[in-house]
Amino acid sequence: MTENHLHRHVEVSEDDHPVVAADVTVPDGPGGTAQASLRAEAGHIAPGRRARLVDAVLDLPEVQESARLKAAFPLGDTESLHRLQQRCEDVSTRSAGWSALLDASLPPGRTS
Protein backbone atom coordinates (compact mmCIF):
# COMPACT_ATOMS: atom_id res chain seq x y z
CA MET A 1 0.00 0.00 0.00
CA THR A 2 1.47 3.37 -0.97
CA GLU A 3 0.92 6.58 0.91
CA ASN A 4 -0.07 9.78 -0.90
CA HIS A 5 2.02 12.85 -0.24
CA LEU A 6 1.64 16.52 -1.09
CA HIS A 7 4.77 18.30 -2.31
CA ARG A 8 5.17 22.07 -1.95
CA HIS A 9 7.99 24.44 -2.94
CA VAL A 10 8.44 27.67 -0.96
CA GLU A 11 10.81 30.55 -1.79
CA VAL A 12 11.82 33.85 -0.26
CA SER A 13 13.11 36.28 -2.89
CA GLU A 14 15.20 39.41 -2.85
CA ASP A 15 15.22 41.68 -5.92
CA ASP A 16 13.11 39.10 -7.80
CA HIS A 17 15.74 36.43 -7.18
CA PRO A 18 15.08 33.50 -4.82
CA VAL A 19 17.67 33.52 -2.01
CA VAL A 20 16.28 30.79 0.24
CA ALA A 21 13.93 27.94 -0.61
CA ALA A 22 12.38 24.83 0.85
CA ASP A 23 10.83 21.67 -0.51
CA VAL A 24 8.10 20.34 1.77
CA THR A 25 6.44 16.93 1.74
CA VAL A 26 3.32 16.31 3.79
CA PRO A 27 1.36 13.05 3.95
CA ASP A 28 -2.34 13.26 3.11
CA GLY A 29 -4.47 13.72 6.18
CA PRO A 30 -3.87 15.47 9.47
CA GLY A 31 -1.58 14.32 12.25
CA GLY A 32 1.32 13.03 10.17
CA THR A 33 4.93 14.11 9.88
CA ALA A 34 5.84 16.96 7.54
CA GLN A 35 9.31 16.89 6.03
CA ALA A 36 11.19 19.98 4.86
CA SER A 37 14.50 20.54 3.17
CA LEU A 38 15.71 24.15 3.55
CA ARG A 39 18.52 25.63 1.47
CA ALA A 40 20.08 28.98 0.61
CA GLU A 41 21.84 30.42 -2.40
CA ALA A 42 25.60 30.83 -2.12
CA GLY A 43 26.85 34.13 -0.77
CA HIS A 44 25.53 36.59 1.75
CA ILE A 45 21.90 36.18 2.80
CA ALA A 46 20.39 39.23 4.50
CA PRO A 47 19.35 38.65 8.13
CA GLY A 48 15.74 37.60 8.52
CA ARG A 49 15.39 35.79 5.18
CA ARG A 50 15.97 32.34 6.64
CA ALA A 51 13.52 33.01 9.49
CA ARG A 52 10.93 34.16 6.93
CA LEU A 53 11.41 30.87 5.07
CA VAL A 54 10.86 28.86 8.27
CA ASP A 55 7.69 30.88 8.95
CA ALA A 56 6.46 30.31 5.39
CA VAL A 57 6.98 26.55 5.74
CA LEU A 58 5.34 26.32 9.17
CA ASP A 59 2.42 28.48 8.03
CA LEU A 60 1.48 26.16 5.16
CA PRO A 61 -2.00 24.80 5.98
CA GLU A 62 -0.84 21.23 5.37
CA VAL A 63 2.06 21.64 7.78
CA GLN A 64 -0.25 23.24 10.35
CA GLU A 65 -2.32 20.03 10.28
CA SER A 66 0.76 17.88 10.93
CA ALA A 67 1.80 16.64 14.36
CA ARG A 68 5.56 16.50 13.72
CA LEU A 69 8.25 18.08 11.58
CA LYS A 70 11.47 16.64 10.26
CA ALA A 71 13.71 19.23 8.65
CA ALA A 72 17.13 19.31 7.05
CA PHE A 73 19.09 22.53 6.65
CA PRO A 74 22.75 23.54 6.24
CA LEU A 75 24.91 22.92 9.29
CA GLY A 76 25.66 26.30 10.83
CA ASP A 77 22.38 27.91 9.78
CA THR A 78 21.66 29.25 13.25
CA GLU A 79 18.91 31.63 12.10
CA SER A 80 16.74 28.78 10.81
CA LEU A 81 17.51 26.66 13.87
CA HIS A 82 16.61 29.49 16.25
CA ARG A 83 13.28 30.16 14.49
CA LEU A 84 12.42 26.45 14.42
CA GLN A 85 13.15 26.24 18.16
CA GLN A 86 10.86 29.23 18.75
CA ARG A 87 7.93 27.76 16.84
CA CYS A 88 8.24 24.03 17.58
CA GLU A 89 8.27 21.86 20.70
CA ASP A 90 10.47 18.97 21.82
CA VAL A 91 13.16 19.95 19.31
CA SER A 92 16.12 17.64 18.82
CA THR A 93 18.91 18.12 16.29
CA ARG A 94 21.89 16.20 15.05
CA SER A 95 24.47 16.71 12.37
CA ALA A 96 24.74 14.57 9.28
CA GLY A 97 27.59 15.54 7.01
CA TRP A 98 27.01 19.13 5.85
CA SER A 99 23.43 19.17 7.18
CA ALA A 100 21.62 19.57 10.46
CA LEU A 101 18.63 17.28 10.94
CA LEU A 102 15.78 18.43 13.16
CA ASP A 103 12.95 16.42 14.64
CA ALA A 104 10.21 18.33 16.49
CA SER A 105 6.61 18.33 17.59
CA LEU A 106 4.28 20.91 16.09
CA PRO A 107 2.02 22.35 18.77
CA PRO A 108 -1.72 22.48 17.97
CA GLY A 109 -3.23 25.94 17.45
CA ARG A 110 0.19 27.46 16.83
CA THR A 111 0.79 30.95 15.49
CA SER A 112 3.96 32.71 14.44
Side-chain angles (χ1 to χ4, degrees):
M1 177 181 238
T2 61
E3 197 172 331
N4 291 327
H5 292 84
L6 174 67
H7 301 278
R8 301 281 301 262
H9 181 77
V10 180
E11 294 179 343
V12 173
S13 297
E14 188 172 286
D15 299 325
D16 295 325
H17 177 71
V19 291
V20 290
D23 289 307
V24 182
T25 304
V26 182
D28 279 347
T33 299
Q35 297 181 4
S37 175
L38 290 72
R39 62 191 173 286
E41 293 293 315
H44 174 73
I45 305 294
R49 300 302 188 269
R50 295 171 195 262
R52 281 182 43 204
L53 178 65
V54 169
D55 287 340
V57 168
L58 294 178
D59 291 342
L60 289 170
E62 302 86 3
V63 173
Q64 297 243 338
E65 293 178 355
S66 299
R68 300 199 55 77
L69 174 69
K70 291 186 181 221
F73 51 94
L75 198 59
D77 178 356
T78 57
E79 183 176 337
S80 293
L81 175 60
H82 181 67
R83 190 64 177 145
L84 285 161
Q85 289 172 325
Q86 287 177 324
R87 297 215 33 207
C88 299
E89 297 177 344
D90 303 321
V91 175
S92 66
T93 58
R94 64 184 173 87
S95 61
W98 296 96
S99 298
L101 303 178
L102 175 134
D103 188 22
S105 296
L106 296 171
R110 60 198 167 272
T111 59
S112 52

